[in-house]
Structure formats: C-alpha cells, structure tokens
Amino acid sequence: MARRRILYEGKAKVLYAGPEPGTLVQHFKDDATAFNAEKRDTVEGKGVLNNRISEYVFSHLNEIGVPTHFIKRLNMREQLVHEVEIIPVEVVVRNIAAGSITKRLGVEEGTRLPRSIIEFFYKSDELGDPMISEEHITAFGWANPQEIDDMMSLAIRINDFLGGMFAAIGIRLVDFKLEFGRQVENDMVRTILADEISPDTCRLWDAQTNNKLDKDRFRRDMGGLVEAYREVAQRLGILQENEPIKTRGPVLVK
Ligand code: TMP
C-alpha cells in the first residue's frame, strides 16, 4: 500500500490527501499540548474520543444547516472532510469567564459574562496566537468584512446550539474555539466551519459540581483527562460504558 501524502501536521491532528479531489482525511492524534506546545504529552485514547465527539457535534451542525467541512467518520481516528483554505483567525466564544480572559481583564473564573463574547486571535504559533480585533483582520487581509460577519453569525448559532446540547446532559459550555475555512465551489467562495469541536477546544464544566471535563485537566496537571473526555462521550450517548477506545498501531482508511 502506498504511503499517504501528509498535507499538514499540527499539534493534535494530521491532514492527509483525501480519496477524491477537494477532500482530506483528518486524523486525530493522541498528542496533547498546551501553552503553545511548551507543555506536551501523549494521552492514549484522546484522539479516538475527540474524533467521535467532533463527529457528533459536526453532524448535528450540518443537520441544522451550519455549513461545515465534515463529511463522515472513516474509522476510530479519522474523518473525511472537505478541503478548505483555513482563515488564520481563531474565533473564541465565551459564556463564562475562564482561561485567558480571567488574566487579561481580571474577571474571576466562573463569573457568568453579561452576554456571550466573541474574541479573535491570530493563528500563529511563532507569535503565540495574539488577540486581535476586526481592524487587524481586515487591515492585514486575513479575512474580509463579509467573512468576519459570516464567522460571527455562525459562531453565535453554534454557541446557541452547543449550549443547549450540553445543558441537556448536565454540562456547562464555558467557552470554545472555532476555525473557519474558505470552500471554493465553481466561482463561489463560502465560509464554512472547519477543524474540530471537542474537549480539546472547549471548556466544559459539570453543571452540578463544576468539575472540569476538558483540556484544562492537562493544562493544569489535574490528571484524569481521558476519563473526563470519556464522560462527555458517554453523556452524549456516543460511547458505551467500558467500550474500548485505546487503539495503538496501524489504522486503515476505507
Ligand atoms: P483561552 O481562555 O486560553 O483564550 O481559551 C479559550 C478557548 O479556546 C478554550 O475553550 C480553549 C480554546 N483554545 C484552543 O482550542 N486552542 C488554543 O490554542 C487556545 C489558546 C485555546
């Protein structure tokens, strides 16, 4: 079998050329990084869980008419996606203060924000993803005003949908990060959701105990990361108790 062509390798995922033009295979690794990869480790089973959780979220978003890159899951670690040109802007939506906003603005962790807040960060590992405004995005040409509008209105719809989805299983959606891409179809370009939505890219707190069910367990050396991600998957009904998720070794793409 021929070796697959790697098109891009990020910290937690690899993108391979897909079976048809305009498609890619998105592979979820077990690698975990934080603080711009200053902290790194391998957490066995994380990639499998994120693949399943992200599949679940993206399928539902597709169903409600949010355009996404997701086509279908291929196997335990991989999904088939539409190829897009990634817009180099990370869109963060916050409902409750946690993480960088607590330090930047001195808001106490856990404070419910007066309304949902959208923030933009420039996607640059060298610069450590600095926070930016719409002015920077348009001045430097990272996205045009229409694309910014698309990203913001999609982010609000996604927040409403995810907030309800997690509330129904006793989880608070504290914040999350989105990435969008440009999909070219004939001579049309449209803005669609790309990347992943998983406990790596969201903050999720148990509604009763405020127990963290996300990557903060890794960032803060709390342990129990896979157990927390598994809890999220089980509550979503996409994983049975005791279902094995640890897959080492070769994986085949259908
Ligand atoms: P922050 O509080 O560190 O700015 O993070 C906000 C949200 O974005 C949080 O849910 C974690 C997520 N996030 C990523 O997915 N990737 C990143 O590189 C960073 C910094 C945050």
Side-chain angles (χ1 to χ4, degrees):
M1 202 175 79
R3 205 170 238 304
R4 289 184 295 168
R5 194 155 57 96
I6 294 183
L7 297 181
Y8 171 82
E9 176 149 16
K11 287 176 285 215
K13 293 191 293 293
V14 186
L15 292 175
Y16 296 98
E20 287 151 38
T23 66
L24 302 176
V25 173
Q26 176 166 267
H27 177 108
F28 290 76
K29 301 190 279 188
D30 281 341
D31 297 353
T33 66
F35 314 117
N36 206 11
E38 265 175 47
K39 181 180 168 69
R40 52 169 78 228
D41 204 353
T42 302
V43 183
E44 201 179 336
K46 178 174 85 76
V48 171
L49 287 162
N50 281 350
N51 185 27
R52 294 287 288 271
I53 295 168
S54 200
E55 170 199 18
Y56 182 89
V57 173
F58 274 68
S59 312
H60 281 84
L61 290 173
N62 279 342
E63 271 168 31
I64 63 161
V66 170
T68 85
H69 74 159
F70 181 81
I71 302 171
K72 64 172 181 177
R73 184 166 62 86
L74 296 170
N75 58 45
M76 294 281 271
R77 285 186 182 275
E78 295 175 331
Q79 37 187 253
L80 184 68
V81 300
H82 292 291
E83 184 172 24
V84 294
E85 180 185 278
I86 286 286
I87 295 173
V89 172
E90 299 194 347
V91 179
V92 168
V93 182
R94 301 183 186 275
N95 299 304
I96 296 169
S100 67
I101 197 174
T102 62
K103 298 189 191 98
R104 199 180 329 114
L105 300 180
V107 195
E108 197 187 335
E109 183 177 83
T111 310
R112 174 150 295 274
L113 297 167
R115 61 176 175 82
S116 302
I117 295 175
I118 299 181
E119 294 174 346
F120 300 111
F121 296 84
Y122 179 44
K123 202 171 145 58
S124 162
D125 284 342
E126 299 89 88
L127 300 173
D129 296 351
M131 192 176 179
I132 51 175
S133 74
E134 288 183 52
E135 284 285 291
H136 299 98
I137 299 174
T138 49
F140 292 109
W142 297 321
N144 65 37
Q146 178 62 57
E147 290 171 331
I148 297 177
D149 276 2
D150 292 345
M151 292 194 289
M152 290 181 75
S153 57
L154 289 171
I156 291 163
R157 279 177 72 191
I158 294 165
N159 188 42
D160 287 345
F161 177 76
L162 290 185
M165 188 190 90
F166 283 118
I169 54 166
I171 290 176
R172 280 207 268 200
L173 178 62
V174 174
D175 59 31
F176 58 97
K177 186 255 320 185
L178 302 172
E179 293 187 26
F180 294 89
R182 300 182 182 101
Q183 188 185 29
V184 182
E185 266 178 343
N186 304 316
D187 56 354
M188 295 286 285
V189 184
R190 63 173 190 155
T191 312
I192 70 173
L193 182 70
D195 195 52
E196 68 176 288
I197 296 180
S198 72
D200 265 14
T201 62
C202 300
R203 285 197 175 89
L204 304 171
W205 294 354
D206 181 87
Q208 310 262 274
T209 62
N210 281 334
N211 194 16
K212 294 183 198 306
L213 302 171
D214 58 60
K215 204 169 107 177
D216 270 350
R217 301 202 74 87
F218 172 76
R219 295 189 189 97
R220 300 185 180 193
D221 293 317
M222 297 167 78
L225 182 105
V226 163
E227 293 72 13
Y229 286 29
R230 182 186 260 283
E231 173 74 25
V232 173
Q234 280 175 204
R235 288 198 203 178
L236 288 171
I238 56 184
L239 198 75
Q240 303 311 308
E241 230 171 298
N242 305 322
E243 192 177 324
I245 43 140
K246 302 203 170 171
T247 58
R248 277 288 164 84
V251 275
L252 288 175
V253 183
K254 280 179 216 140

